[in-house]
Amino acid sequence: MERFAPVSEQYDPDEVEESTFEYWAETDAYERTRKHRRDGEDFFFVDGPPYTSGAAHMGTTWNKTLKDAYIRYKRMQGYNVTDRPGYDMHGLPIETKVESKLGFENKKDIEEYGMEAFIDACQEFADEQLEGLQEDFKSFGVWMDWDSPYKTASTEYMEAVWWGFQQAHERGLVERGKRSITQCPRCETAIAKNEVEYHQVEDPSIYVNFPLAEREGSLVAWTTTPWTVPANTFIAVDEDVTYAAVEATKDGETEVLYVAEGVVEDVLKKGRYQEYDVLETLPGAELLGWTYDHPLADEVAEYPDFEGSGEVYHADYVEVDRTGLVHSAPGHGQEDFERGDELGLDVYCPVGSDGVYDSRAGDYAGQFVRDANDDIIADLDANGYLLASETYTHDYGQCWRCDTDIIFLATDQWFITVTDVKDELLDNIDDSHWYPHEAREDRFKNFVEESPDWNVSRQRYWGTPIPIWLPEDWDGDMDEAVIVGTREELAERADQAVDPADIDLHRPTVDDITITEDGTTYERVPDVFDVWIDSSVASWGTLDYPGNSEAFDRLWPADLIMEAHDQTRGWFWSQLGMGTAALGEVPYSDVLMHGYANMPDGRGMSKSKNITVEPGEVIEEYGADPMRLFLLSRNPQGEDMRFSWDETENMQRDLNILWNVFRFPLPYMRMDEFDPEAVELADCELEAVDEWLLSRLQTTVEEMTAAWDSYRQDEALDVLLEFLVEDVSRFYIQVVRERMWAEADSDSKTAAYATFHHVLTKTVTLFAPFAPLVAEQIYGTLTGESGHPTVHMEDWPEFDEAWYEPQLEADIETVRAVEEAGANARQQAGRKLRWPATRVVVAADADGVADSVDRQRALLRERLNAREIELVEATEDWDELAYGARADMSVLGPAFGGDAGEVMDALNSVTVARKDLDALEAAVAEELGREVELTPEMVEFVTETPEGIEGTEFRVAGESGGVVYVDTELTDDIEAEGYAREIIRRVQEARKDLDLDIDAEIHLDIAVADDRIADLVVEYHDLVAEETRATLADVDEGFHEAYDIEGVEVTLGVTRAN
RNA sequence: GGGCCAAUAGCUCAGCCAGGUAUGAGCGCUCGGCUGAUAACCGGGAGGCCCUCGGUUCAAAUCCGAGUUGGCCCA
């Protein structure tokens, strides 16, 4: 880019985006930046892979923006950053999308269509989505290695999964087992707990009598799943609860029922018994071991009838609710399963993976379980075991993909038994640093402590095949199983010819491979891994390990990962588990856990409910950089974000200020052919404000760096924007304007140019990680050929002690406070800034303030347009002042106890003529109606503006600074200058209206209607001429305009000279 | 139902950990000013049951308890 080239008058995000993207492409900016840091210290960042279905939403956008910003920051600090993006491409969500695209209803349709073709369709779908996501991420300036993302569906990556699994196996952490799992009968697979969504459904609610075998009466249990009754194995009671034997009468017949004492009346009412009699009460412990007959023994010939079945046991999950006895079927319910496991009971489950009863279910065989509910209820009724039947609306789990009601089944699944290494997991957690720290201590540790073994198997197609080969009559001994870890290993052990360089590890290719060793042939189990397993190995999968070990040896474990808080139990956890199971270590060092992106009103975003703010819309409305700035201005540590259109607009305005600030000096620098390379800042004759701005830059750099390094880029941005808006725009530019405008070359002007150029270049460098697009444009315009090809190759600015002047910063802070108060006082006096004040009196409250004012008198005079600055030291009083007092409650509270508030009010309301404690006590006593004893520590005296003088208090660094008084007395000279400045302003306006270049010379004709004023103005003709680049002359043609200035008519004529 | 987090001006948020008058900040609103950055910039003003209820304390936005609403996670 050409240095100091003219730029558009306004910040236009669209234009900036377009030209920057073009520039990046032309110059290979990304590749060059990476190359530039090739020899830097390694920084291993790992991208948490987004799932490849759908476009980037605001949450993903926030996440990627944060990642991009931190990667850029780290690069600027010299690191060689790993920035490979990742995509999570396997799993049921994509399968169901493809199924619905192809019009499939269930697994059989897939088998008919052909597994290979179906998997190809899934691959194609995932690839398409991946491309869309990449384009989304690029659209807001993210720089990652888009040309070679890691894909969980790639052969290299699946191998990384296999390897990790094999490592876990070698540590003895893989086993097959029956578990009660949540099954989607449509998808015919187990689904993870977090994939279960809860909806309100209406289910049967039945009370079933289980007839006691060895004594009279029945046990009454309640259930909402009649279809689990065939699998009833035992009845659970609470041994510490009291139960009642009740003789109940209905329609002349009596029977004995056992229920918890506390619910007798409720149950009997449900059963519509007319009378009842409590025969006896007994503790639950006495019921233990009682036996009963299966209520569907006739219908289900092969009902659970084995050692220990049909008995009463204690269980912790029993509550005195409904009946106080719980129908338990370990083949279905999860708690039932666990208790049955403890009791050593067999697991009986007469239901297939599609939710259809098998032959063991007798009369119900072939029926879908939920469809059998009515028959079962009818049969129970016919058998005389139905006490009551009604319906019940409750939350019930459904498959997140297809909304089918889930069922609980005990089936054979593969597990990684992370519970065996729980202590190691908890130890390893301490090796990671979490931001915010509490998330690790509270949320994560709680979760890990309570987490069960991992069911890693899914009975599906589009996933990494589980690399387990089993002999035909396998007995469950893992030593007899073959677990393959790499392609090479597979090629070596397979019976078939396998080319490791070429093989696709997906089903069905691997399904056909067998292994024969020592005369035994092994076949692969048909399952695939749960998709969560894929991403759990990202820390080595992203490095193509084990296929390639160089990067792994050098980089692993990850230096940094960052995701939202839902990943606590997701990716943060799965990586810890897999890292520990496979390598005995936590695979990441730093974790930045951010929040969720919510709607402006605080609701969660939801694509399906059409409650979203789309990143594309925001970019279109306000631009990519403003959106990024907004996202990066939010606290990234745990807290949810509310998206705000208004705040995004504000960011655009702030960038417009950046644009204006940078644009301001360009015409002058161009005109004077300023060459930043030829001027050494240290050799310039810097003025105080220049030194001040350079010092402020150091402070800004230091504060920003500290914020970045503690993962608070939002605070860094605050500091930067404040520096830009407050220091550069609102102060430095205002002060430096006259120096820039001066016609003649001067050391002062050069110093201003050099300062400005240096500060702007550094400032835009500091902006680079936040707003990479506009930063690039500005940087290019400031540096031209002399800088790096891209701002993103710049080093992160370092704090430079040599330019740091804290005293000067404090001085200017005081100057600005005084200036602001002075402007206020002027306004009260109705005196414009253009009219000089004869004097300004600063009555300081503190020595430091007085010293600062004293040192900066010249600057203050200029800023306040005052002829004189008078200073009243802190130790002095100004005769005409009155004083008030302010209470210090930290002293007053303990001293006065309950009366403190009252004393405070009195103190605050009185005034005295002197800063005198006795006088104050007297005044307070008067106000309060009684004497109080005050100490100097209790009060702070404050100046108050006396009548007749225009004064305004000011504060410095949160402390009272003093009062600024403006004397607005008019003299001839002041009037003369006032009018002259009014004229200058109007001439400047005319110059602009006439579209004159800033260095164009003019002829100026001034006619003042009032003779006295006309004479006064003549005194300032030189000033007017200089400021407007004018020669005073008669102007007959061209611009003529009459103005009313303070009631005096002034006519100006302006024309271009020559 | 359980765990974690949040609630302060119209909006977005500081302040809370280490209790002491909310001079709260920016934006917005409004009135005024400035004027070769000008769709920029500066000053004044209005605007608060600090989510609710209890407790601790001389004193609570801040600490504690219960609740409400929202977010995430787990049932």
Side-chain angles (χ1 to χ4, degrees):
Chain A
M1 289 181 222
E2 191 194 334
R3 188 160 68 196
F4 307 152
V7 297
S8 66
E9 289 208 2
Q10 256 212 301
Y11 166 55
D12 179 346
D14 288 345
E15 191 185 303
V16 167
E17 280 162 37
E18 200 178 324
S19 61
T20 305
F21 284 136
E22 200 176 305
Y23 178 76
W24 282 353
E26 275 171 11
T27 52
D28 290 331
Y30 167 72
E31 289 76 10
R32 289 170 82 165
T33 301
R34 280 186 48 150
K35 212 169 150 191
H36 182 59
R37 301 299 180 188
R38 200 171 42 192
D39 299 327
E41 192 182 329
D42 287 321
F43 187 86
F44 182 27
F45 169 77
V46 177
D47 186 32
Y51 197 74
T52 47
S53 71
H57 53 83
M58 193 52 80
T60 329
T61 302
W62 190 19
N63 174 260
K64 272 292 192 287
T65 301
L66 280 165
K67 287 170 176 170
D68 183 58
Y70 279 89
I71 288 170
R72 287 183 193 275
Y73 171 69
K74 285 289 175 186
R75 284 215 169 103
M76 293 175 87
Q77 286 209 319
Y79 290 97
N80 181 28
V81 184
T82 312
D83 66 348
R84 193 175 189 192
Y87 296 92
D88 205 1
M89 302 171 76
H90 282 142
L92 198 49
I94 285 175
E95 286 196 44
T96 51
K97 287 213 166 172
V98 172
E99 279 184 85
S100 75
K101 243 170 88 174
L102 297 172
F104 292 174
E105 302 239 318
N106 53 39
K107 259 178 156 175
K108 288 177 194 68
D109 292 334
I110 298 174
E111 302 284 350
E112 277 169 26
Y113 182 76
M115 194 196 298
E116 191 161 6
F118 179 70
I119 282 172
D120 287 346
C122 290
Q123 176 83 57
E124 194 182 329
F125 179 83
D127 283 338
E128 272 169 30
Q129 298 298 318
L130 185 154
E131 286 308 320
L133 283 170
Q134 297 239 93
E135 290 311 311
D136 290 343
F137 297 149
K138 289 179 197 171
S139 75
F140 47 92
V142 180
W143 267 10
M144 293 178 84
D145 193 359
W146 306 120
D147 291 341
S148 70
Y150 76 83
K151 306 175 183 183
T152 59
S154 72
T155 305
E156 295 77 12
Y157 194 92
M158 288 196 283
E159 184 174 41
V161 177
W162 278 20
W163 179 82
F165 188 68
Q166 188 188 46
Q167 293 299 305
H169 165 66
E170 282 174 9
R171 298 191 71 205
L173 298 174
V174 172
E175 67 174 42
R176 189 173 81 171
K178 272 204 189 328
R179 293 286 197 286
S180 172
I181 44 95
T182 41
Q183 173 89 2
C184 172
R186 191 211 70 88
C187 300
E188 291 189 46
T189 183
I191 56 176
K193 300 274 182 50
N194 59 301
E195 292 170 342
V196 175
E197 287 183 345
Y198 289 82
H199 299 259
Q200 289 245 309
V201 295
E202 192 176 357
D203 271 328
S205 161
I206 60 170
Y207 292 74
V208 182
N209 291 348
F210 291 81
L212 287 160
E214 290 158 350
R215 70 196 73 215
E216 191 195 352
S218 301
L219 302 167
V220 185
W222 173 78
T223 183
T224 58
T225 50
W227 60 270
T228 63
V229 173
N232 175 274
T233 303
F234 67 97
I235 296 284
V237 298
D238 184 335
E239 57 195 11
D240 297 326
V241 163
T242 304
Y243 289 82
V246 186
E247 189 176 65
T249 306
K250 178 160 66 176
D251 304 330
E253 288 184 31
T254 59
E255 56 187 318
V256 176
L257 303 173
Y258 287 87
V259 296
E261 188 185 23
V263 294
V264 169
E265 192 163 340
D266 293 344
V267 174
L268 276 285
K269 203 177 278 175
K270 294 276 184 199
R272 298 172 196 277
Y273 291 92
Q274 285 109 2
E275 286 171 37
Y276 70 88
D277 210 5
V278 175
L279 298 175
E280 60 168 333
T281 59
L282 61 172
E286 274 192 38
L287 272 61
L288 303 182
W290 288 13
T291 55
Y292 62 91
D293 296 328
H294 198 285
L296 294 172
D298 293 342
E299 290 77 12
V300 184
E302 293 180 50
Y303 68 87
D305 185 16
F306 41 74
E307 183 68 33
S309 68
E311 276 187 45
V312 175
Y313 297 97
H314 166 80
D316 290 334
Y317 54 77
V318 174
E319 285 173 30
V320 181
D321 175 36
R322 300 291 176 171
T323 75
L325 296 99
V326 179
H327 147 62
S328 299
H332 296 301
Q334 312 209 325
E335 291 174 316
D336 313 24
F337 177 88
E338 280 161 29
R339 185 62 183 135
D341 194 41
E342 280 171 21
L343 294 168
L345 298 174
D346 286 356
V347 176
Y348 173 89
C349 179
V351 178
S353 63
D354 54 357
V356 173
Y357 284 115
D358 63 28
S359 61
R360 285 174 297 171
D363 289 3
Y364 311 114
Q367 278 203 74
F368 182 65
V369 290
R370 289 185 154 270
D371 297 338
N373 276 343
D374 290 346
D375 288 354
I376 289 169
I377 294 169
D379 290 340
L380 286 170
D381 199 18
N383 295 347
Y385 300 136
L386 188 69
L387 184 142
S389 173
E390 46 195 33
T391 60
Y392 176 63
T393 303
H394 62 146
D395 284 340
Y396 193 83
Q398 296 180 326
C399 174
W400 68 330
R401 302 321 315 175
C402 65
D403 293 346
T404 306
D405 286 341
I406 53 145
I407 57 177
F408 292 95
L409 297 180
T411 60
D412 278 328
Q413 299 289 342
W414 290 94
F415 288 87
I416 296 180
T417 56
V418 285
T419 51
D420 291 349
V421 288
K422 193 154 278 183
D423 290 344
E424 198 181 343
L425 290 167
L426 289 166
D427 278 353
N428 286 345
I429 290 176
D430 289 332
D431 295 335
S432 60
H433 311 281
W434 285 53
Y435 300 87
H437 183 251
E438 311 82 70
R440 187 187 88 175
E441 296 306 306
D442 301 333
R443 215 172 159 153
F444 197 50
K445 283 191 176 170
N446 284 350
F447 182 77
V448 172
E449 274 163 12
E450 289 166 17
S451 58
D453 287 336
W454 285 356
N455 169 10
V456 299
S457 48
R458 294 292 180 267
Q459 293 71 51
R460 294 297 300 189
Y461 309 97
W462 179 235
T464 305
I466 294 187
I468 300 176
W469 273 258
L470 298 177
E472 195 177 355
D473 51 354
W474 186 58
D475 64 356
D477 181 356
M478 286 308 294
D479 291 340
E480 303 297 320
V482 171
I483 281 83
V484 175
T486 63
R487 282 175 280 170
E488 292 285 351
E489 186 185 345
L490 182 65
E492 277 170 29
R493 301 177 75 171
D495 296 334
Q496 296 75 11
V498 168
D499 177 359
D502 197 36
I503 188 176
D504 177 6
L505 294 181
H506 281 111
R507 297 183 73 188
T509 315
V510 288
D511 295 350
D512 299 333
I513 294 174
T514 57
I515 293 172
T516 303
E517 285 171 4
D518 298 331
T520 306
T521 299
Y522 298 77
E523 289 185 15
R524 199 186 75 81
V525 303
D527 295 357
V528 298
F529 279 117
D530 176 24
V531 64
W532 273 112
I533 293 300
D534 284 0
S535 57
S536 74
V537 306
S539 66
W540 58 86
T542 191
L543 300 174
D544 292 337
Y545 187 80
N548 177 347
S549 62
E550 182 277 327
F552 178 81
D553 294 341
R554 183 163 50 88
L555 298 172
W556 201 88
D559 292 306
L560 174 65
I561 58 175
M562 59 178 86
E563 305 297 331
H565 46 45
D566 58 333
Q567 298 304 329
T568 307
R569 57 148 305 291
W571 198 52
F572 299 155
W573 160 231
S574 69
Q575 285 203 96
L576 171 72
M578 195 40 126
T580 303
L583 289 155
E585 281 183 57
V586 58
Y588 45 74
S589 167
D590 283 13
V591 177
L592 177 57
M593 185 194 88
H594 62 82
Y596 252 53
N598 291 331
M599 293 298 285
D601 61 8
R603 289 179 300 164
M605 290 199 190
S606 163
K607 182 117 191 167
S608 59
K609 291 178 195 154
N610 206 21
I611 304 173
T612 62
V613 174
E614 294 300 327
E617 274 178 68
V618 179
I619 293 171
E620 196 166 318
E621 181 76 20
Y622 294 118
D625 279 332
M627 179 180 77
R628 289 176 59 110
L629 240 52
F630 169 74
L631 296 173
L632 294 170
S633 72
R634 307 291 107 173
N635 185 337
Q637 297 192 16
E639 289 183 30
D640 288 343
M641 168 258 285
R642 286 186 181 202
F643 182 77
S644 167
W645 291 99
D646 287 351
E647 291 298 311
T648 306
E649 186 180 1
N650 284 340
M651 289 303 170
Q652 193 197 44
R653 297 158 87 107
D654 282 343
L655 287 178
N656 191 37
I657 292 176
L658 174 66
W659 192 261
N660 276 319
V661 161
F662 130 81
R663 193 167 68 87
F664 162 71
L666 294 182
Y668 306 108
M669 289 179 174
R670 227 170 17 239
M671 193 163 69
D672 288 332
E673 293 174 347
F674 170 66
D675 179 1
E677 285 177 284
V679 179
E680 191 61 44
L681 197 55
D683 299 335
C684 287
E685 302 217 357
L686 298 175
E687 301 195 3
V689 277
D690 303 330
E691 289 176 5
W692 166 79
L693 188 67
L694 290 163
S695 180
R696 284 292 305 136
L697 176 66
Q698 306 315 314
T699 304
T700 301
V701 165
E702 186 171 52
E703 289 177 4
M704 284 183 74
T705 306
W708 270 107
D709 290 345
S710 53
Y711 295 106
R712 286 301 300 271
Q713 90 294 329
D714 57 317
E715 290 180 345
L717 181 58
D718 280 350
V719 169
L720 177 58
L721 289 175
E722 177 152 330
F723 174 67
L724 172 75
V725 175
E726 289 294 331
D727 297 336
V728 183
S729 174
R730 292 186 182 165
F731 197 75
Y732 187 72
I733 287 193
Q734 304 307 324
V735 174
V736 87
R737 280 160 96 142
E738 286 204 33
R739 286 160 67 193
M740 296 259 178
W741 179 236
E743 208 171 340
D745 281 340
S746 69
D747 291 341
S748 168
K749 189 158 80 172
T750 304
Y753 283 164
T755 303
F756 219 145
H757 189 270
H758 176 83
V759 169
L760 280 180
T761 307
K762 294 296 178 190
T763 300
V764 82
T765 302
L766 294 169
F767 262 103
F770 296 103
L773 302 161
V774 68
E776 191 76 288
Q777 285 283 303
I778 296 176
Y779 179 81
T781 309
L782 287 171
T783 58
E785 297 303 311
S786 66
H788 289 289
T790 163
V791 68
H792 304 289
M793 284 168 71
E794 275 283 343
D795 289 341
W796 184 254
E798 276 184 37
F799 174 81
D800 185 349
E801 181 86 47
W803 293 111
Y804 181 54
E805 295 184 58
Q807 183 59 60
L808 182 56
E809 289 193 41
D811 282 358
I812 301 297
E813 192 183 350
T814 299
V815 166
R816 299 185 66 180
V818 170
E819 179 187 345
E820 189 179 314
N824 187 336
R826 267 181 178 278
Q827 186 165 340
Q828 285 179 49
R831 181 58 45 84
K832 295 177 192 172
L833 189 58
R834 226 176 278 126
W835 295 64
T838 47
R839 58 171 188 156
V840 165
V841 180
V842 181
D845 268 1
D847 289 344
V849 171
D851 292 345
S852 291
V853 169
D854 194 34
R855 275 191 293 268
Q856 304 298 334
R857 272 174 198 268
L859 183 58
L860 262 179
R861 236 186 339 256
E862 185 190 320
R863 300 302 305 151
L864 285 168
N865 194 14
R867 292 281 157 86
E868 240 5 277
I869 301 290
E870 283 181 22
L871 179 60
V872 179
E873 300 280 352
T875 48
E876 298 169 24
D877 286 350
W878 207 31
D879 309 359
E880 297 161 65
L881 296 181
Y883 293 93
R886 187 165 23 211
D888 183 343
M889 287 308 289
S890 63
V891 185
L892 219 56
F896 290 102
D899 297 336
E902 208 184 0
V903 175
M904 177 190 81
D905 288 341
L907 258 175
N908 290 348
S909 64
V910 301
T911 58
V912 289
R914 274 213 172 73
K915 290 182 181 177
D916 182 286
L917 203 60
D918 293 339
L920 189 64
E921 273 185 345
V924 169
E926 173 106 354
E927 177 76 15
L928 207 55
R930 61 191 162 84
E931 299 279 331
V932 289
E933 200 171 314
L934 299 175
T935 65
E937 293 76 31
M938 290 177 185
V939 297
E940 184 191 359
F941 284 96
V942 291
T943 52
E944 290 190 358
T945 313
E947 278 182 64
I949 297 173
E950 297 302 346
T952 299
E953 292 181 33
F954 65 96
R955 299 180 69 86
V956 179
E959 301 285 320
S960 171
V963 187
V964 178
Y965 303 94
V966 175
D967 187 340
T968 53
E969 186 197 357
L970 277 186
T971 63
D972 282 352
D973 184 48
I974 282 170
E975 245 185 314
E977 187 179 333
Y979 275 99
R981 294 205 177 272
E982 296 282 2
I983 288 165
I984 289 167
R985 192 210 122 199
R986 286 170 173 79
V987 174
Q988 300 289 32
E989 209 166 68
R991 287 179 58 109
K992 272 195 87 172
D993 288 347
L994 293 171
D995 229 8
L996 299 176
D997 288 340
I998 54 174
D999 57 344
E1001 296 290 332
I1002 57 165
H1003 286 153
L1004 172 63
D1005 194 354
I1006 303 172
V1008 181
D1010 181 298
D1011 289 346
R1012 184 182 71 92
I1013 303 299
D1015 289 344
L1016 287 175
V1017 168
V1018 169
E1019 301 293 321
Y1020 279 86
H1021 271 179
D1022 287 349
L1023 178 71
V1024 173
E1026 190 187 318
E1027 290 289 319
T1028 61
R1029 304 206 171 170
T1031 308
L1032 288 180
D1034 290 340
V1035 174
D1036 300 327
E1037 293 179 354
F1039 180 92
H1040 268 271
E1041 185 94 32
Y1043 301 90
D1044 180 352
I1045 300 176
E1046 304 288 306
V1048 175
E1049 188 180 286
V1050 178
T1051 306
L1052 300 176
V1054 176
T1055 187
R1056 185 197 294 267
N1058 55 62

